[in-house]
Amino acid sequence: NAGVMQNPRHLVRRRGQEARLRCSPMKGHSHVYWYRQLPEEGLKFMVYLQKENIIDESGMPKERFSAEFPKEGPSILRIQQVVRGDSAAYFCASSNNGQNTEAFFGQGTRLTVV
Amino acid sequence: GESVGLHLPTLSVQEGDNSIINCAYSNSASDYFIWYKQESGKGPQFIIDIRSNMDKRQGQRVTVLLNKTVKHLSLQIAATQPGDSAVYFCAEYPLDRGSQGNLIFGKGTKLSVKP
């Protein structure tokens, strides 16, 4: 049973480009959580999705950021017109019961905006 | 500001010694706490949790202590090993927010184990 898979592991984008981060949850998990981690900081909650629905996006910036979790395929975190301040590690976690305290984390995508 | 924070950003211990990592929280509505270990280049890994109706919980080589009076919790690692070197985060979770609540992480303490 593979764990939470995130890709790419590293992503470099120029300012103004779009970044797409993918997260495939563990098999059987239908709940996905995205977190952002700045260097030397703890993780900050961004968004919680269940298949085809956004449940809680209170931690996600209103502009340029969006997330989806389609019926088929991975969850996508999309950042449009990236800026240097978007450089961070983005982690995805998944759970099978909507309890993010029992979620498993992926290895993260490290986004660098140049 | 952050409601969860850590007293010591770095901790260096000798292999075989015990390690104690501390965490303070300020949200009295938080009633569930988790310690995570994050190795370099990896995602957080669950270590141990504790609910607010407990003041101590033990796992394999790890113990979490919760002091609700002063809103403080600690992670104790017995006989620290080189493989314990990582950044340790505490996270709080207010259970009254249900499944839509989100984990609030502290900044982390880097533990370095000297051989």
Side-chain angles (χ1 to χ4, degrees), chain A residues 9 37 42 44 56 91 98 100, chain B residues 2 38 41 93 99-100 102 106:
Chain A
R9 290 293 309 279
Q37 185 179 33
K44 297 276 176 44
D56 181 354
F91 289 95
N100 63 351
Chain B
E2 287 292 325
Q38 186 177 26
Y93 182 78
S99 65
Q100 295 190 19
N102 60 78

Side-chain angles (χ1 to χ4, degrees), chain B residues 54-72:
Chain B
M54 304 170 69
D55 53 19
K56 181 179 180 179
R57 189 158 190 230
Q58 287 184 293
Q60 188 176 13
R61 281 202 308 119
V62 294
T63 300
V64 56
L65 299 177
L66 175 62
N67 186 331
K68 294 180 287 293
T69 302
V70 296
K71 296 190 181 70
H72 179 272

Side-chain angles (χ1 to χ4, degrees), chain A residues 50-68:
Chain A
Q50 196 178 356
K51 282 288 186 180
E52 301 184 90
N53 292 303
I54 296 176
I55 307 300
D56 181 354
E57 56 182 347
S58 60
M60 197 157 68
K62 294 287 187 285
E63 297 181 354
R64 301 189 299 108
F65 285 73
S66 62
E68 63 178 12

Side-chain angles (χ1 to χ4, degrees), chain A residues 81-100:
Chain A
Q81 300 174 323
V82 295
V83 300
R84 288 236 172 97
D86 296 332
S87 296
Y90 292 84
F91 289 95
C92 165
S94 74
S95 73
N96 63 355
N97 59 5
Q99 295 296 318
N100 63 351

